[in-house]
């Protein structure tokens, strides 16, 4: 008998309608009344202030403080590790069904607070209504999906019979891990990376990204209400480079679940490989990293569909998605026609505050804005700037949607992840050439093809080296349970979040043989 009703993805609101818009504005007003509060660390379900703070501000109104999160120091690392192990000893003894019910309770709490959680991200991360709601829906999906997936792992695995013996293989949890998410899906990715390992009996120390600690604190409020035993999920914001290294290096850290940039991921990989004094295991490390995602348009494509898919994939959330299209590779025959349609679409995107539900909002921080402007400057030297390229509105970290055309294959903007509203349009001789260009990257996260030609589509299915390949649609917006997500090559360990194998990564198999 199934414990829960079948998994279904959380529905989205239609924000073209006045009713949903009104409800969202109401949620924003309620959140506005709570700005500027302080959020302590949560260790063993208890608050702890550290005397130092991370100040979180609104990317679209840079002087506005969203809240302050306590900054963890080296002195709190032993206490948090001890609390997490205490939590682990209790939680790992619960049955899968008991844990799954706690997850379903958490999902219900988050669902009741859905618009409020989304509104926090509109203000803290600069996400318009649909982007922020989708982030919240994905978080809820992860919790519901992993609750159901965990039940599949409760039963012993089948083995062949052997005369005179009983042989049983079963999966057990592994211990305490460190969860290090990025700021770009500050609720969805943080929730999935936390709840995956927790669903199967592990405990975690969550170090949210420093740009978005307040939405992580709101998740923690939901966790506390759901009734997880003390120490199972600990909220531990802090500077990536100071406590990040210490958490990764700690001899009692059993696994590291990281999503972020290639540079930080490689650093973690190297450090975690070293067996520290007193450490009695090999650390498991999961790294979901960057992308340089390409959309190919061939001569048979519906060019209106292609232009719409490219604009949505390149500029949704200002291009700050690991799945965002940053290379638009177009075959020569339709290059000029497609570029014209693409520019018309991108040029029509209105820029303004996320709170006003504009399609394009500010980028996350002054640092990000500066880094993107650096790429735009390089782009101007190596390619043809055809749209945007400048900052906009001084009240936030705004950048115009930017398009470079005729970008050579070796240009920095064609090779490196920019993580902003900048697209490199590249000309290919034909479909084979387009596929070659798309694959000529150290990354392999998402990709797409717009085509009506069956041979091209089948060839892309076989040869396009992307962990998530989309045909005749946008290349962002993977759904939990529907499109398991994770890349190839230097895009990471292909953990496939929201997929059927994810939870297994945080377990070990034990085989017991008894001869009678
Ligand atoms: P980032 O690497 O700068 O930071 C990620 C996290 O690592 C943050 O919490 C940060 O505080 C922490 N950190 C920084 N230095 C650390 C250290 N030395 N030790 C431990 N932790 C440390 O990345 P970001 O800017 O937050 O996120 C954007 C990146 O994430 C992009 O490259 C994007 O492609 C990638 N991303 C990948 C996926 C995926 O599924 N593959 C999903 C979302 C984002």
């Amino acid at each position: 008998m199934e414990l829960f009703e079948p998994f279904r993805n959380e529905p989205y609101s239609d924000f073209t309608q006045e009713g949903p818009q009104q409800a969202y504005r109401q949620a924003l007003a309620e959140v506005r009344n709570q700005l500027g509060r302080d959020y302590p660390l949560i260790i063993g379900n208890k608050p702890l202030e550290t005397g130092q703070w991370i100040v979180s501000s609104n990317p679209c109104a840079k002087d506005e403080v969203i809240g302050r999160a306590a900054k963890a120091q080296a002195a709190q690392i032993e206490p948090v590790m001890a609390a997490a192990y205490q939590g682990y000893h209790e939680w790992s003894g619960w049955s899968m069904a008991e844990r799954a019910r706690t997850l379903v309770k958490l999902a219900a709490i988050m669902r009741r607070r859905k618009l409020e959680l989304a509104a926090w991200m509109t203000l803290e991360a600069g996400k318009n209504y649909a982007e922020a709601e989708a982030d919240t829906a994905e978080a809820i999906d992860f919790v519901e999906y992993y609750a159901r997936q965990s039940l599949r792992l409760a039963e012993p695995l089948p083995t062949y019979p052997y005369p005179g013996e009983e042989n049983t293989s079963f999966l057990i949890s592994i211990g305490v891990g460190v969860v290090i998410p990025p700021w770009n899906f500050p609720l969805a990715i943080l929730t999935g990376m936390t709840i995956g390992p927790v669903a199967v009996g592990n405990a975690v120390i969550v170090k949210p990204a420093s740009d978005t600690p307040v939405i992580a604190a709101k998740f923690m409020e939901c966790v506390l209400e759901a009734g997880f035993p003390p120490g199972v999920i600990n909220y531990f914001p802090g500077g990536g480079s100071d406590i990040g290294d210490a958490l990764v290096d700690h001899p009692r850290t059993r696994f590291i679940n990281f999503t972020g940039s290639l540079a930080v991921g490689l650093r973690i990989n190297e450090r975690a490989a070293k067996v520290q004094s007193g450490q009695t295991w090999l650390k498991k490390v999961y790294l979901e990293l960057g992308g340089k995602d390409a959309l190919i348009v061939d001569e048979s494509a519906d060019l209106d569909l292609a232009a719409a898919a490219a604009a949505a994939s390149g500029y949704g959330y200002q291009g700050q998605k690991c799945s965002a299209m940053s290379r638009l590779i177009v075959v020569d025959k339709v290059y000029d026609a497609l570029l014209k349609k693409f520019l018309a679409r991108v040029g029509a995107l209105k820029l303004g505050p996320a709170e006003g539900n504009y399609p394009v909002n500010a980028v996350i921080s002054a640092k990000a804005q500066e880094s993107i402007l650096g790429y735009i400057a390089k782009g101007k030297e190596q390619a043809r700037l055809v749209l945007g390229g400048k900052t906009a509105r001084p009240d936030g970290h705004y950048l115009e949607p930017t398009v470079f055309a005729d970008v050579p294959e070796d240009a920095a903007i064609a090779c490196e992840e920019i993580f902003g509203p900048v697209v490199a349009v590249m000309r290919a001789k034909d479909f084979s050439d387009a596929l070659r260009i798309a694959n000529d990257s150290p990354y392999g996260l998402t990709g797409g093809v717009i085509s009506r030609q069956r041979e091209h589509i089948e060839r892309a299915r076989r040869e396009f080296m992307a962990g998530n390949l989309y045909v005749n649609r946008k290349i962002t917006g993977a759904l939990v349970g529907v499109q398991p997500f994770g890349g190839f090559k230097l895009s990471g360990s292909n953990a496939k979040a929201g997929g059927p194998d994810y939870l297994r990564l945080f377990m070990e198999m034990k085989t017991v043989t008894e001869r009678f």
Side-chain angles (χ1 to χ4, degrees):
M1 197 186 72
E2 297 289 333
L3 273 188
F4 310 118
E5 60 188 283
F7 172 78
R8 260 176 282 115
N9 293 105
E10 201 56 26
Y12 295 151
S13 307
D14 177 1
F15 288 116
T16 61
Q17 303 297 309
E18 183 50 31
Q21 272 187 34
Q22 177 62 30
Y24 204 91
R25 283 195 293 267
Q26 175 69 27
L28 279 165
E30 283 163 22
V31 164
R32 279 213 152 273
N33 284 332
Q34 303 168 53
L35 294 187
R37 291 188 181 167
D38 288 346
Y39 299 91
L41 307 183
I42 307 282
I43 298 181
N45 285 4
K46 291 208 182 68
L48 181 74
E49 288 194 3
T50 62
Q52 290 200 40
W53 300 97
I54 297 170
V55 179
S56 171
S57 58
N58 183 346
C60 301
K62 54 194 180 193
D63 297 330
E64 182 170 70
V65 172
I66 303 302
R68 296 194 311 172
K71 194 173 184 187
Q73 314 292 312
Q76 281 94 45
I77 291 192
E78 288 312 320
V80 78
M81 207 38 97
Y85 268 97
Q86 221 172 353
Y88 174 63
H89 291 309
E90 162 83 16
W91 183 241
S92 58
W94 288 33
S95 72
M96 226 38 123
E98 288 166 334
R99 289 193 293 250
R101 276 195 289 275
T102 317
L103 263 59
V104 170
K105 177 69 183 176
L106 171 64
I109 295 163
M110 292 175 78
R111 192 175 291 112
R112 282 198 275 278
R113 294 179 64 172
K114 190 170 166 183
L115 287 190
E116 181 217 328
L117 293 170
W120 279 106
M121 285 189 278
T122 292
L123 295 175
E124 189 178 39
K127 293 202 173 206
N128 62 31
Y129 301 1
E131 292 287 348
E133 197 206 34
D135 194 321
T136 315
E138 187 179 351
I140 297 168
D141 283 351
F142 275 128
V143 184
E144 292 278 8
Y145 178 76
Y146 291 149
R148 286 159 182 76
Q149 289 296 317
S150 69
L151 298 173
R152 291 176 41 235
L153 303 177
E155 299 302 316
L157 288 107
T159 49
Y160 284 102
Y162 190 81
E165 284 183 2
E166 186 212 326
N167 289 289
T168 319
S169 282
F170 53 94
L171 295 165
I172 57 173
S173 58
I174 53 177
V176 169
V178 178
V179 173
I180 309 178
W183 51 263
N184 72 329
F185 282 86
L187 185 60
I189 294 184
L190 176 140
T191 302
M193 290 171 69
T194 299
I195 292 302
V198 162
V200 290
N202 302 290
V204 293
I205 298 165
V206 184
K207 195 217 80 59
S210 300
D211 285 319
T212 51
V214 171
I215 182 63
K218 297 291 152 191
F219 166 74
M220 210 50 211
E221 289 174 7
C222 300
V223 163
L224 291 177
E225 190 184 336
F228 290 85
V232 173
I233 301 175
N234 301 280
Y235 171 72
F236 205 69
S241 43
D242 29 285
I243 61 151
D245 282 352
L247 289 169
V248 167
D249 293 349
H250 199 284
R252 296 186 81 194
T253 295
R254 183 67 183 83
F255 64 91
I256 296 136
N257 203 14
F258 174 83
T259 303
S261 62
L262 175 62
V264 176
L266 292 181
R267 179 188 177 91
I268 290 175
N269 203 35
E270 225 176 291
R271 297 187 80 103
K274 183 168 166 32
V275 176
Q276 305 284 344
S277 158
Q279 184 181 323
T280 56
W281 49 62
L282 301 173
K283 288 174 186 169
K284 284 184 188 261
V285 183
Y286 300 107
L287 306 166
E288 299 306 308
L289 308 174
K292 190 68 198 171
D293 309 312
L295 179 68
I296 294 178
V297 182
D298 80 1
E299 63 279 16
S300 71
D302 172 338
L303 296 187
D304 291 309
L305 167 72
S313 308
Y315 302 95
Y317 191 39
Q318 296 75 262
Q320 302 172 113
K321 300 183 185 181
C322 55
S323 53
M325 178 201 75
S326 59
R327 294 181 294 159
L328 177 57
I329 305 172
V330 190
V331 299
D332 186 50
K333 268 190 194 149
V334 291
Y335 183 91
D336 294 330
L338 192 268
L339 181 61
K340 199 167 155 211
K341 284 182 190 282
F342 179 58
L343 288 174
R345 288 219 173 237
V346 181
L349 293 173
K350 291 218 160 45
L351 184 139
E355 209 174 343
N357 201 24
Y358 285 85
V360 177
N361 319 120
V363 299
I364 190 72
S365 62
K367 199 171 143 220
Q369 190 188 37
E370 200 182 312
S371 153
I372 299 162
L373 282 170
Y375 276 109
I376 291 174
K378 282 187 201 171
K380 283 181 186 163
E381 287 167 15
Q382 296 175 304
R384 185 160 64 92
L385 176 69
V386 283
L387 195 74
K390 295 192 295 297
T391 57
R393 293 183 62 123
D395 50 338
H397 315 296
Y398 290 97
L399 281 168
E400 292 172 350
T402 298
V403 181
F404 283 97
D406 309 338
V407 179
E409 283 176 51
D410 59 356
I413 57 166
C415 302
E416 294 169 30
E417 186 180 47
I418 302 171
F419 222 58
V422 180
V423 168
V425 187
M426 303 170 77
R427 192 188 294 263
K429 288 199 260 314
D430 53 22
F431 186 72
S432 290
D433 195 38
L435 207 47
R436 179 193 62 75
I437 296 169
N439 282 339
D440 186 17
S441 166
Y443 294 111
L445 190 44
T446 71
V449 175
I450 310 288
S451 172
R452 289 185 177 114
Q453 212 166 311
R454 178 52 43 195
E455 302 93 289
H456 287 177
I457 295 171
E458 293 301 334
R459 198 170 153 206
R461 280 176 174 266
R462 291 191 304 270
E463 294 177 23
F464 201 137
M465 283 300 288
N468 286 69
L469 178 68
Y470 298 91
V471 180
N472 288 328
R473 55 155 279 183
K474 66 173 181 159
I475 68 170
T476 53
L479 287 172
V480 171
V482 178
Q483 291 124 356
F485 190 80
F488 294 156
K489 298 158 85 178
L490 286 180
S491 289
S493 36
N494 194 242
K496 288 292 185 195
D501 301 332
Y502 189 71
L503 303 187
R504 174 67 182 84
L505 303 176
F506 307 97
M507 304 189 87
E508 270 179 339
M509 192 188 296
K510 184 167 185 176
T511 302
V512 180
T513 298
E514 183 173 352
R515 185 160 291 186
F516 298 107

